[in-house]
Amino acid sequence: MDPHRRFRWFRLHTGAPPDPRFTLANERTFLAWIRTALALLAGGIAIEAFSSELFSDFARLGLAVLLTTLAMVISISAFFRWLRVEQAMRLARPIPPPLQIPMLSLMVAAVTIMFAILLAS
């Protein structure tokens, strides 16, 4: 069996394998995004579980859903980011810009503003 056959869906069978250091750096970046997603998930769970005296049920649920949805989006986009970078390295193309950074920045800013409004009221 061709050892690259299992990677056909990912299109990692084309091009030349990159330097292992770059592949491992790409994996570390993926894991950093996953840690970020896990932190957001933990924050969403903590808000739902422990903030009943701080926020109304609607606000608490809204913040928890927003954080857990953001965690899901970040974890899914981390995989596609890893894949795009791996493909670019194999095909000697420029590394694509990370789309997660502006998304994460805007969403964390939105959550922070929501917290500030809810705590002020």
Side-chain angles (χ1 to χ4, degrees), residues 15-98:
D19 184 325
R21 292 173 294 177
F22 299 131
T23 296
L24 293 172
N26 191 25
E27 288 178 12
R28 285 190 301 273
T29 303
F30 167 77
L31 292 172
W33 283 112
I34 294 299
R35 283 191 303 272
T36 302
L38 288 171
L40 291 166
L41 179 61
I45 292 170
I47 286 175
E48 178 56 32
F50 302 116
S51 67
S52 60
E53 287 130 23
L54 287 175
F55 306 120
S56 68
D57 289 343
F58 178 75
R60 191 175 75 241
L61 181 63
L63 286 170
V65 166
L66 184 62
L67 286 172
T68 54
T69 301
L70 182 57
M72 179 187 64
V73 169
I74 290 293
S75 64
I76 291 168
S77 66
F79 166 73
F80 288 107
R81 167 80 179 153
W82 168 83
L83 185 60
R84 288 176 36 214
V85 169
E86 191 68 25
Q87 289 169 345
M89 288 189 300
R90 288 176 176 275
L91 299 173
R93 292 185 185 154
I95 301 297

